[in-house]
Amino acid sequence: MFFLSNLVNGLSLGSIYAIIALGYTMVYGIAKMLNFAHGDVIMVGAYVSFCAFQYWGLPPVVSILAAMVFCTVLGVVIEGTAYRPLRQATSLAVLITAIGMSYLLQNLALLIFKSDPKNYPAQIIGMPGISLFGGQLKISGVTLVTILANVVIMVLLTLFINRTKLGKAMRCVSEDRGAAELMGISVNRTISLTFAIGSALAAIAGVLLCSAYPIFDPYTGSMPGIKAFTAAVFGGIGSIPGAMVGGLLLGIIEILSRAYISTQLADAIVFAVLIVVLLVKPTGLLGKQIREKV
Amino acid sequence: MSEANQKSPLLKVNDIHVYYGAIHAIKGISLEVYDNEIVTLIGANGAGKSTTLNTIVGLLRPRQGTVELNGMNINGISASKMVSRGLSLCPEGRRIFQQMTVRENLEMGAYSRPAAEIAESLEEMFQRFPRLKEREKQIGGTLSGGEQQMLTMARALMSRPRLLMLDEPSMGLAPILVEQIFEIIKELHESGVTILLVEQNAQMALQVADRAYVMETGLITMQGRASELLHNDAVQKAYLGS
């Protein structure tokens, strides 16, 4: 039962990583850049939903929606102002800009909300938990919502990418920007859309993360951000199912190492597993080796 | 074409200069394509043929000179807006979407058109290229080189272009497939598609084209009726190996 309860917790944490990893992997796949500010958008999402609920007294669902809208706009603005002018620049320049953007967001949050941690209200996801096996296995409402949200997001996103015109346009841009443009697809608009989706997902991840681990501050996004990035690489960066698998595995490995091996070593173990996977399969678990046919 | 000269050209490229950084790749070329013509641009590797096409379609910007489509200046319009203006380019090296199915590739070709019209054009393409019909559900990357070339052309035709530009359609194909591709080009021409064809295979290109321009290091060195250039001594020496 101890194992089962840890497994459920791992799934829940893994679901959060998976939702964040989606943002990394989509932006990487389509814009070919690593958006290291993505983790901090999570933090912004947490603060916006917190303010909406706590200070402005909005209902929970509206608070979450407000966070999503805010982060969507933020993501599009970040892409348009910071990354778009660098579309032709070297990837190193873009990477450094992304790191700079990450610090900018953290420091803006510090300026506005100060550095002391806040307590995330449990009422935002006010779902009662359930208990199974005569009370031996308790699953909290947040855990249930998190796992469910992950499944719903995955299904919707997969349908969107594979079935809709805009989703197909995203796949085209991801494969061949020049050819996509020749089809009449606006590359800039497609990349904006990718940032919009990724950032909306980051807002959801922020709400879920802070509901599960309620103490948060302006640095809250960075560690989960890095772990989710790891998850994306682990699963094969650029691949949506890869982000899902990578995120879930990473969450489960982290929680199980914490439970059975050592709390201090848990992060080290997570990253060691990543290194081993990359040694064996450099493109990640589900990553594809792209071969060019000449 | 004497009768064509009285009309205004569909495409008019006017003294364009294109640079890659400091490199002066196109040094002032002008050319015209009239409705229902096949015009070919031949020349050696690195002469600037693809650069010219990429400039016309808006992937590159000329530093000087103009490109006019139907009398309208289209300089500075982004490539993604050219399709809806009737310009379609089959890029060099096919560039099909390798991870999408044949059908999806074709649908992307009609991206700028209303969804209701796509089914009809798909049917048309499958009739013209029965091979693609057989491969409809297959992933693009699994097609052979010749099939990929057919797919690129069909994809470009899905936008119902007024001017179809083909960049080295015969590149890397076996001789029998090259003939097949040129057969298709002829058929397209007969059905009324206007074509600007860039080729290294000068022999084949001059045989299907109405008019031709010969390019050398960023300049047009010769132009005229394709049938005349085919028998021109200088052209024969330089490009036809006889």
Side-chain angles (χ1 to χ4, degrees):
Chain A
M1 220 35 74
F2 180 63
F3 174 76
L4 212 59
S5 123
N6 276 313
L7 194 65
V8 172
N9 286 338
L11 268 180
S12 166
L13 181 64
S15 295
I16 295 176
Y17 288 155
I19 296 170
I20 308 171
L22 277 176
Y24 275 110
T25 225
M26 284 175 71
V27 165
Y28 181 81
I30 288 151
K32 304 284 178 263
M33 64 161 290
L34 294 172
N35 177 22
F36 274 117
H38 188 61
D40 302 291
V41 178
I42 300 167
M43 173 271 296
V44 173
Y47 272 106
V48 173
S49 55
F50 172 81
C51 291
F53 183 79
Q54 197 86 338
Y55 299 156
W56 310 326
L58 296 172
V61 177
V62 180
S63 307
I64 297 172
L65 284 177
M68 286 173 71
V69 170
F70 190 89
C71 288
T72 304
V73 173
L74 180 68
V76 172
V77 169
I78 288 176
E79 192 277 323
T81 54
Y83 304 150
R84 185 171 297 180
L86 298 174
R87 196 80 17 105
Q88 312 297 334
T90 60
S91 50
L92 199 58
V94 184
L95 186 70
I96 291 168
T97 308
I99 294 173
M101 186 50 78
S102 161
Y103 279 107
L104 180 69
L105 291 178
Q106 284 178 13
N107 285 295
L108 278 178
L110 266 178
L111 207 66
I112 301 170
F113 299 104
K114 307 292 177 263
S115 61
D116 46 312
K118 292 195 163 41
N119 212 330
Y120 200 77
Q123 301 93 307
I124 289 192
I125 295 184
M127 268 266 294
I130 53 167
S131 70
L132 297 169
F133 305 110
Q136 288 189 64
L137 177 63
K138 286 201 176 71
I139 303 174
S140 74
V142 174
T143 304
L144 284 177
V145 169
T146 304
I147 295 172
L148 197 72
N150 182 33
V151 172
V152 170
I153 287 170
M154 282 296 158
V155 170
L156 288 183
L157 204 59
T158 308
L159 286 177
F160 174 75
I161 293 282
N162 288 321
R163 299 283 168 82
T164 67
K165 194 173 171 182
L166 283 173
K168 286 179 183 179
M170 287 169 103
R171 283 160 64 202
C172 288
V173 174
S174 147
E175 254 199 70
D176 188 332
R177 235 181 242 188
E181 199 133 13
L182 290 176
M183 300 299 107
I185 298 166
S186 162
V187 171
N188 279 338
R189 282 234 297 275
T190 310
I191 292 179
S192 285
L193 176 68
T194 311
F195 272 84
I197 295 175
S199 306
L201 293 180
I204 297 176
V207 171
L208 295 172
L209 181 75
C210 293
S211 296
Y213 305 90
I215 308 292
F216 72 108
D217 61 32
Y219 303 109
T220 288
S222 63
M223 197 56 190
I226 287 176
K227 288 217 189 112
F229 169 62
T230 311
V233 175
F234 190 60
I237 193 144
S239 150
I240 287 177
M244 168 90 160
V245 172
L248 289 179
L249 280 178
L250 209 73
I252 292 170
I253 294 170
E254 184 179 330
I255 294 285
L256 291 185
S257 343
R258 223 174 271 264
Y260 291 104
I261 305 173
S262 148
T263 313
Q264 278 88 31
L265 278 179
D267 286 347
I269 292 168
V270 165
F271 289 104
V273 171
L274 170 80
I275 292 171
V276 172
V277 167
L278 290 188
L279 280 176
V280 179
K281 206 165 177 299
T283 51
L285 292 174
L286 301 182
K288 269 182 244 163
Q289 191 83 53
I290 309 290
R291 252 163 299 148
E292 305 245 328
K293 196 167 198 166
V294 191
Chain B
M1 301 198 94
S2 52
E3 72 272 278
N5 281 338
Q6 284 144 28
K7 290 188 290 182
S8 59
L10 175 61
L11 176 78
K12 188 171 160 63
V13 174
N14 211 346
D15 190 35
I16 55 169
H17 291 256
V18 184
Y19 292 76
Y20 290 111
I23 299 162
H24 197 173
I26 303 286
K27 301 163 187 162
I29 71 163
S30 302
L31 58 87
E32 276 144 31
V33 180
Y34 292 88
D35 265 322
N36 300 322
E37 267 192 315
I38 299 189
V39 173
T40 183
L41 200 56
I42 57 176
N45 237 344
K49 308 184 298 293
S50 298
T51 306
T52 305
L53 288 194
N54 288 338
T55 308
I56 293 171
V57 85
L59 287 173
L60 295 170
R61 298 273 151 89
R63 198 175 285 184
Q64 203 185 306
T66 57
V67 179
E68 285 171 31
L69 186 69
N70 234 354
M72 268 238 296
N73 189 343
I74 55 171
N75 270 15
I77 292 177
S78 71
S80 64
K81 298 210 175 85
M82 288 297 185
V83 201
S84 46
R85 288 173 181 260
L87 262 186
S88 199
L89 168 67
C90 289
E92 190 178 358
R94 341 242 195 266
R95 312 260 299 260
I96 61 160
F97 299 112
Q98 306 263 343
Q99 293 167 39
M100 296 178 125
T101 65
V102 167
R103 193 193 173 90
E104 282 175 325
N105 264 283
L106 292 174
E107 285 168 356
M108 293 325 291
Y111 187 80
S112 56
R113 295 176 56 201
E117 296 175 18
I118 294 179
E120 190 194 330
S121 293
L122 261 178
E123 225 18 75
E124 213 176 285
M125 287 312 134
F126 285 146
Q127 249 167 37
R128 199 187 284 282
F129 304 93
R131 208 42 185 283
L132 296 181
K133 173 83 187 159
E134 289 166 31
R135 304 254 185 273
E136 188 182 340
K137 300 241 157 54
Q138 225 169 293
I139 299 291
T142 63
L143 300 184
S144 72
E147 289 164 347
Q148 291 198 8
Q149 184 58 48
M150 287 180 200
L151 181 54
T152 329
M153 290 167 71
R155 187 180 70 178
L157 288 168
M158 285 295 287
S159 68
R160 293 238 170 109
R162 293 202 56 189
L163 174 64
L164 177 67
M165 300 195 283
L166 302 169
D167 196 350
E168 305 264 9
S170 76
M171 192 174 72
L173 296 183
I176 179 136
L177 285 170
V178 174
E179 292 208 8
Q180 222 176 329
I181 293 295
F182 276 95
E183 209 47 55
I184 295 169
I185 294 173
K186 255 190 257 174
E187 283 171 27
L188 288 176
H189 180 222
E190 277 155 21
S191 65
V193 182
T194 308
I195 295 172
L196 176 57
L197 169 68
V198 156
E199 257 301 334
Q200 277 195 64
N201 190 334
Q203 177 91 36
M204 295 294 278
L206 290 173
Q207 276 171 13
V208 296
D210 299 307
R211 289 187 304 114
Y213 294 86
V214 181
M215 271 191 88
E216 249 171 75
T217 56
L219 288 165
I220 285 177
T221 51
M222 257 182 282
Q223 64 186 79
R225 294 188 68 99
S227 53
E228 282 159 18
L229 283 175
L230 191 58
H231 299 105
N232 179 297
D233 280 347
V235 174
Q236 290 229 331
K237 230 180 220 137
Y239 303 105
L240 304 174
S242 54

